[in-house]
Amino acid sequence: TQSARTNNAKETPPSADADPVLFAALKEWRTQTAFAENVPPYVIFADKTLIALAAVKPANEFDLLDISGIGPAKAAKY
């Protein structure tokens, strides 16, 4: 059905390079963090950023700062 495809698309990262398990964990973390901060999840990080994190798997802060959507403030905060 159409709704099943739509829901499934939200659970699977749209990048072949992204680790789907890591992407799901990052989305859950983002949801919990957004709830705690009383902001929409996209304020924490956009899906595009989570996809990049799940694909690149940065090993240090320098690698983290190379990901679009993560600047020094967000890297320090999260």
Side-chain angles (χ1 to χ4, degrees):
T1 65
Q2 180 62 29
S3 63
R5 276 187 235 129
T6 302
N7 289 338
N8 192 21
K10 290 180 182 178
E11 296 303 318
T12 305
S15 167
D17 297 331
D19 178 333
V21 174
L22 179 56
F23 177 70
L26 288 167
K27 282 185 70 170
E28 179 62 27
W29 168 83
R30 179 184 67 180
T31 299
Q32 292 175 2
T33 302
F35 180 78
E37 294 186 13
N38 198 31
V39 297
Y42 68 83
V43 170
I44 306 299
F45 288 120
D47 278 349
K48 181 178 177 180
T49 302
L50 298 184
I51 292 165
L53 286 168
V56 174
K57 299 179 185 176
N60 56 53
E61 187 173 343
F62 297 109
D63 293 343
L64 192 65
L65 291 170
D66 283 339
I67 294 181
S68 178
I70 303 178
K74 284 194 175 183
K77 185 173 182 177
Y78 302 116

